[in-house]
Amino acid sequence: TSVVGGEEVAEDMAEDVAEEGAEVATSANEEMPFVSVVMTHFNRPHLLKWAVESVQLQDYPADRYELVLFDDASTAPAVAAALDAMEEDFRARGWTIVRSKENVYLGAARNKAVKSTKGEYILFMDDDNYAKVHEIRTFVEVAQRTGADVLTCSNDYFYGNDPPSPDRVPTGRWVPLGAATTVGMFQNMYGDTNAMIRREVFLKLGGFPEDFGYALEDWELFSKVVLGGYILETIPDPLYWYRLRDTSHSRLTSKHGNPARTIRPYLKKIPQHLHHLVLFAQGMKDSHD
Protein backbone atom coordinates (compact mmCIF):
# COMPACT_ATOMS: atom_id res chain seq x y z
CA THR A 1 0.00 0.00 0.00
CA SER A 2 2.81 2.37 0.85
CA VAL A 3 4.32 1.80 -2.61
CA VAL A 4 1.04 2.57 -4.32
CA GLY A 5 0.58 5.59 -2.12
CA GLY A 6 4.08 6.70 -2.98
CA GLU A 7 3.27 6.42 -6.68
CA GLU A 8 0.12 8.49 -6.16
CA VAL A 9 2.10 11.15 -4.30
CA ALA A 10 4.72 11.17 -7.06
CA GLU A 11 2.03 11.52 -9.71
CA ASP A 12 0.42 14.39 -7.78
CA MET A 13 3.79 16.12 -7.45
CA ALA A 14 4.48 15.66 -11.17
CA GLU A 15 1.11 17.17 -12.02
CA ASP A 16 1.77 20.12 -9.70
CA VAL A 17 5.17 20.71 -11.27
CA ALA A 18 3.65 20.51 -14.76
CA GLU A 19 0.91 22.97 -13.83
CA GLU A 20 3.43 25.36 -12.28
CA GLY A 21 5.59 25.06 -15.39
CA ALA A 22 2.62 25.80 -17.62
CA GLU A 23 1.74 28.84 -15.48
CA VAL A 24 5.31 30.12 -15.70
CA ALA A 25 5.32 29.62 -19.47
CA THR A 26 1.98 31.38 -19.81
CA SER A 27 3.20 34.26 -17.67
CA ALA A 28 6.38 34.54 -19.75
CA ASN A 29 4.36 34.54 -22.97
CA GLU A 30 2.10 37.30 -21.67
CA GLU A 31 5.15 39.47 -21.06
CA MET A 32 6.27 39.10 -24.68
CA PRO A 33 5.07 41.91 -26.97
CA PHE A 34 2.16 41.19 -29.27
CA VAL A 35 3.09 41.39 -32.95
CA SER A 36 0.68 42.02 -35.81
CA VAL A 37 1.82 40.71 -39.19
CA VAL A 38 0.26 42.76 -41.99
CA MET A 39 0.13 41.24 -45.46
CA THR A 40 -1.53 42.85 -48.49
CA HIS A 41 -2.57 40.80 -51.48
CA PHE A 42 -3.67 41.30 -55.07
CA ASN A 43 -4.27 38.51 -57.60
CA ARG A 44 -1.52 36.12 -56.45
CA PRO A 45 -3.32 33.28 -54.63
CA HIS A 46 -0.73 30.74 -55.82
CA LEU A 47 1.98 32.65 -53.92
CA LEU A 48 -0.21 33.88 -51.07
CA LYS A 49 -0.73 30.38 -49.66
CA TRP A 50 3.01 29.94 -49.19
CA ALA A 51 3.42 33.34 -47.55
CA VAL A 52 0.60 32.56 -45.12
CA GLU A 53 2.10 29.14 -44.43
CA SER A 54 5.39 30.76 -43.43
CA VAL A 55 3.56 32.91 -40.87
CA GLN A 56 1.75 29.87 -39.50
CA LEU A 57 5.09 28.10 -38.92
CA GLN A 58 6.70 30.85 -36.80
CA ASP A 59 8.35 29.71 -33.56
CA TYR A 60 7.06 32.78 -31.69
CA PRO A 61 4.26 31.95 -29.18
CA ALA A 62 1.07 31.49 -31.18
CA ASP A 63 -0.97 33.59 -28.75
CA ARG A 64 1.39 36.56 -29.08
CA TYR A 65 1.04 37.29 -32.78
CA GLU A 66 -1.64 37.62 -35.42
CA LEU A 67 -1.91 37.92 -39.19
CA VAL A 68 -4.08 40.57 -40.83
CA LEU A 69 -4.48 39.75 -44.52
CA PHE A 70 -5.81 42.62 -46.64
CA ASP A 71 -7.04 41.65 -50.10
CA ASP A 72 -6.88 44.79 -52.24
CA ALA A 73 -9.98 44.09 -54.37
CA SER A 74 -8.42 41.22 -56.33
CA THR A 75 -10.02 40.48 -59.71
CA ALA A 76 -8.62 37.02 -60.42
CA PRO A 77 -11.39 34.37 -60.27
CA ALA A 78 -9.33 32.03 -58.06
CA VAL A 79 -8.86 34.56 -55.27
CA ALA A 80 -12.30 34.33 -53.67
CA ALA A 81 -12.04 30.56 -53.35
CA ALA A 82 -8.51 30.81 -51.94
CA LEU A 83 -9.60 33.31 -49.28
CA ASP A 84 -12.69 31.26 -48.45
CA ALA A 85 -10.46 28.22 -47.88
CA MET A 86 -8.39 30.19 -45.34
CA GLU A 87 -11.32 31.59 -43.36
CA GLU A 88 -11.79 28.68 -40.95
CA ASP A 89 -8.10 28.50 -39.99
CA PHE A 90 -7.93 32.28 -39.60
CA ARG A 91 -10.96 32.29 -37.28
CA ALA A 92 -9.48 29.49 -35.17
CA ARG A 93 -6.26 31.47 -34.73
CA GLY A 94 -7.97 34.80 -34.11
CA TRP A 95 -6.56 36.16 -37.37
CA THR A 96 -8.29 38.53 -39.77
CA ILE A 97 -9.02 38.65 -43.50
CA VAL A 98 -10.11 42.05 -44.83
CA ARG A 99 -11.67 42.06 -48.31
CA SER A 100 -11.58 45.53 -49.80
CA LYS A 101 -14.23 46.48 -52.36
CA GLU A 102 -11.96 49.14 -53.83
CA ASN A 103 -8.42 48.77 -55.14
CA VAL A 104 -6.39 51.35 -53.19
CA TYR A 105 -2.82 50.17 -53.99
CA LEU A 106 0.04 49.23 -51.70
CA GLY A 107 0.53 52.18 -49.37
CA ALA A 108 -3.14 52.79 -48.65
CA ALA A 109 -3.82 49.03 -48.39
CA ARG A 110 -1.20 48.62 -45.68
CA ASN A 111 -2.46 51.67 -43.82
CA LYS A 112 -6.02 50.34 -43.89
CA ALA A 113 -4.86 46.90 -42.75
CA VAL A 114 -3.11 48.42 -39.71
CA LYS A 115 -6.51 49.68 -38.51
CA SER A 116 -7.49 46.03 -37.93
CA THR A 117 -4.38 45.17 -35.89
CA LYS A 118 -3.83 45.16 -32.13
CA GLY A 119 -0.07 44.60 -31.83
CA GLU A 120 2.53 46.76 -30.14
CA TYR A 121 4.66 46.03 -33.18
CA ILE A 122 3.61 45.81 -36.83
CA LEU A 123 5.53 43.44 -39.11
CA PHE A 124 4.87 44.14 -42.78
CA MET A 125 5.23 41.31 -45.22
CA ASP A 126 4.64 40.94 -48.97
CA ASP A 127 2.41 38.15 -50.24
CA ASP A 128 5.12 36.67 -52.49
CA ASN A 129 7.85 36.34 -49.87
CA TYR A 130 8.44 33.55 -47.36
CA ALA A 131 9.30 34.19 -43.70
CA LYS A 132 11.93 32.03 -42.04
CA VAL A 133 10.66 30.28 -38.93
CA HIS A 134 12.55 32.53 -36.50
CA GLU A 135 11.68 35.85 -38.11
CA ILE A 136 9.20 37.26 -35.58
CA ARG A 137 11.17 36.00 -32.58
CA THR A 138 14.41 37.54 -33.85
CA PHE A 139 12.80 40.88 -34.65
CA VAL A 140 11.30 41.05 -31.16
CA GLU A 141 14.51 40.03 -29.38
CA VAL A 142 16.54 42.67 -31.23
CA ALA A 143 13.86 45.33 -30.70
CA GLN A 144 13.89 44.68 -26.96
CA ARG A 145 17.67 44.67 -26.80
CA THR A 146 18.27 47.80 -28.89
CA GLY A 147 15.15 49.88 -28.29
CA ALA A 148 14.84 50.36 -32.05
CA ASP A 149 11.65 51.88 -33.41
CA VAL A 150 12.07 50.18 -36.80
CA LEU A 151 13.94 47.02 -37.70
CA THR A 152 14.83 45.86 -41.17
CA CYS A 153 16.95 42.84 -42.08
CA SER A 154 18.89 41.07 -44.79
CA ASN A 155 17.12 38.69 -47.15
CA ASP A 156 17.96 35.64 -49.22
CA TYR A 157 16.53 36.06 -52.70
CA PHE A 158 15.50 33.40 -55.17
CA TYR A 159 13.46 32.65 -58.30
CA GLY A 160 10.48 30.33 -58.59
CA ASN A 161 6.85 29.92 -57.56
CA ASP A 162 7.33 27.22 -54.93
CA PRO A 163 8.26 27.72 -51.27
CA PRO A 164 12.02 27.57 -50.65
CA SER A 165 13.20 24.36 -49.02
CA PRO A 166 15.29 24.63 -45.81
CA ASP A 167 18.41 23.46 -47.61
CA ARG A 168 17.96 25.69 -50.65
CA VAL A 169 20.98 27.73 -51.73
CA PRO A 170 19.82 31.31 -52.38
CA THR A 171 20.47 33.07 -55.66
CA GLY A 172 22.01 35.81 -53.59
CA ARG A 173 21.70 37.84 -50.41
CA TRP A 174 20.86 41.52 -49.96
CA VAL A 175 22.33 43.23 -46.90
CA PRO A 176 21.00 46.77 -46.28
CA LEU A 177 23.13 49.34 -44.45
CA GLY A 178 20.50 50.56 -42.01
CA ALA A 179 20.16 54.23 -41.06
CA ALA A 180 22.47 55.51 -43.82
CA THR A 181 20.77 58.89 -44.09
CA THR A 182 23.02 60.42 -46.75
CA VAL A 183 22.93 57.36 -48.99
CA GLY A 184 19.19 57.13 -48.43
CA MET A 185 18.69 60.36 -50.35
CA PHE A 186 19.59 58.59 -53.59
CA GLN A 187 19.26 54.86 -52.95
CA ASN A 188 17.29 52.73 -50.51
CA MET A 189 19.80 51.05 -48.26
CA TYR A 190 17.51 51.22 -45.23
CA GLY A 191 15.84 47.90 -45.94
CA ASP A 192 12.82 46.26 -47.55
CA THR A 193 9.09 46.53 -46.81
CA ASN A 194 9.53 43.32 -44.79
CA ALA A 195 10.24 45.26 -41.61
CA MET A 196 8.93 45.61 -38.06
CA ILE A 197 7.90 49.01 -36.67
CA ARG A 198 6.44 50.19 -33.39
CA ARG A 199 2.77 50.83 -33.89
CA GLU A 200 2.85 54.23 -32.18
CA VAL A 201 5.73 55.39 -34.39
CA PHE A 202 3.99 54.18 -37.54
CA LEU A 203 0.86 56.14 -36.64
CA LYS A 204 2.81 59.29 -35.68
CA LEU A 205 4.51 59.27 -39.08
CA GLY A 206 1.20 58.90 -40.88
CA GLY A 207 1.97 55.45 -42.25
CA PHE A 208 2.96 54.74 -45.84
CA PRO A 209 2.49 57.34 -48.60
CA GLU A 210 -0.71 56.54 -50.50
CA ASP A 211 0.09 57.66 -54.06
CA PHE A 212 -1.76 55.29 -56.38
CA GLY A 213 0.27 53.37 -58.94
CA TYR A 214 3.72 54.00 -57.49
CA ALA A 215 6.22 51.77 -55.72
CA LEU A 216 9.11 52.33 -53.27
CA GLU A 217 6.72 53.48 -50.54
CA ASP A 218 8.88 51.64 -48.01
CA TRP A 219 11.88 53.80 -48.92
CA GLU A 220 9.92 56.99 -48.32
CA LEU A 221 8.61 55.72 -44.97
CA PHE A 222 12.10 54.77 -43.79
CA SER A 223 13.39 58.20 -44.80
CA LYS A 224 10.68 59.77 -42.64
CA VAL A 225 11.75 57.49 -39.79
CA VAL A 226 15.43 58.46 -39.71
CA LEU A 227 14.85 62.13 -40.54
CA GLY A 228 12.22 62.25 -37.81
CA GLY A 229 14.75 61.22 -35.19
CA TYR A 230 13.52 57.67 -34.67
CA ILE A 231 15.86 54.68 -34.36
CA LEU A 232 16.19 52.36 -37.35
CA GLU A 233 18.44 49.32 -37.03
CA THR A 234 19.19 46.53 -39.49
CA ILE A 235 19.64 42.87 -38.62
CA PRO A 236 22.35 41.20 -40.77
CA ASP A 237 20.67 37.81 -40.40
CA PRO A 238 18.45 37.04 -43.45
CA LEU A 239 15.05 36.51 -41.81
CA TYR A 240 13.03 35.83 -44.94
CA TRP A 241 13.16 34.67 -48.54
CA TYR A 242 12.63 37.40 -51.13
CA ARG A 243 11.06 36.14 -54.33
CA LEU A 244 12.49 37.75 -57.49
CA ARG A 245 9.91 38.39 -60.19
CA ASP A 246 9.96 40.30 -63.48
CA THR A 247 6.45 41.56 -62.68
CA SER A 248 7.26 43.18 -59.33
CA HIS A 249 5.70 46.57 -58.58
CA SER A 250 9.01 48.41 -58.74
CA ARG A 251 9.63 47.06 -62.26
CA LEU A 252 6.17 47.82 -63.60
CA THR A 253 5.78 51.33 -62.20
CA SER A 254 7.47 54.61 -63.16
CA LYS A 255 11.25 54.40 -63.21
CA HIS A 256 11.65 58.14 -62.58
CA GLY A 257 8.41 58.86 -60.76
CA ASN A 258 9.16 56.36 -57.99
CA PRO A 259 12.44 57.93 -56.79
CA ALA A 260 10.99 61.42 -57.27
CA ARG A 261 8.52 60.58 -54.51
CA THR A 262 11.07 59.14 -52.15
CA ILE A 263 13.00 62.42 -51.99
CA ARG A 264 10.03 64.27 -50.44
CA PRO A 265 11.03 63.73 -46.76
CA TYR A 266 14.49 65.14 -47.54
CA LEU A 267 13.13 68.21 -49.32
CA LYS A 268 11.19 69.07 -46.17
CA LYS A 269 14.49 69.19 -44.25
CA ILE A 270 16.63 70.93 -46.86
CA PRO A 271 16.49 74.72 -47.46
CA GLN A 272 14.28 75.56 -50.46
CA HIS A 273 17.06 77.23 -52.42
CA LEU A 274 18.95 73.89 -52.48
CA HIS A 275 16.05 71.77 -53.71
CA HIS A 276 17.01 72.09 -57.38
CA LEU A 277 20.52 70.79 -56.66
CA VAL A 278 19.19 67.74 -54.82
CA LEU A 279 16.68 66.97 -57.58
CA PHE A 280 19.36 67.42 -60.23
CA ALA A 281 21.72 65.05 -58.41
CA GLN A 282 18.96 62.49 -58.06
CA GLY A 283 18.10 62.79 -61.75
CA MET A 284 21.74 62.30 -62.73
CA LYS A 285 21.90 59.13 -60.64
CA ASP A 286 18.67 57.77 -62.14
CA SER A 287 19.89 58.44 -65.67
CA HIS A 288 22.95 56.28 -65.03
CA ASP A 289 21.11 53.38 -63.37
Side-chain angles (χ1 to χ4, degrees), residues 43-62:
N43 284 350
R44 297 193 293 213
H46 57 298
L47 300 179
L48 174 64
K49 64 179 180 180
W50 302 127
V52 171
E53 175 191 80
S54 72
V55 179
Q56 293 169 334
L57 297 176
Q58 291 296 297
D59 63 10
Y60 199 67

Side-chain angles (χ1 to χ4, degrees), residues 88-105:
E88 183 177 351
D89 181 73
F90 268 58
R91 280 195 298 270
R93 296 173 183 268
W95 294 0
T96 305
I97 297 178
V98 180
R99 306 192 194 206
S100 177
K101 295 182 179 179
E102 176 189 7
N103 179 249
V104 296
Y105 218 69

Side-chain angles (χ1 to χ4, degrees), residues 17 67 190 260:
V17 170
L67 171 60
Y190 297 125

Side-chain angles (χ1 to χ4, degrees), residues 221-269:
L221 175 61
F222 296 149
S223 294
K224 289 166 64 176
V225 168
V226 297
L227 294 174
Y230 295 103
I231 301 173
L232 184 150
E233 299 285 357
T234 292
I235 300 172
D237 183 18
L239 300 182
Y240 68 103
W241 290 90
Y242 182 94
R243 195 183 304 271
L244 293 171
R245 296 181 303 105
D246 294 332
T247 56
S248 66
H249 294 289
S250 58
R251 292 175 183 268
L252 297 178
T253 51
S254 175
K255 176 183 177 182
H256 300 293
N258 284 332
R261 290 187 328 134
T262 64
I263 202 70
R264 290 183 296 195
Y266 284 90
L267 295 180
K268 291 181 179 179
K269 296 288 185 179

Side-chain angles (χ1 to χ4, degrees), residues 120-132:
E120 176 185 348
Y121 291 97
I122 310 295
L123 172 56
F124 293 99
M125 181 175 172
D126 287 337
D127 63 350
D128 56 346
N129 292 338
Y130 197 90
K132 297 188 179 184

Side-chain angles (χ1 to χ4, degrees), residues 66 74 142 236 240:
E66 66 176 346
S74 291
V142 175
Y240 68 103

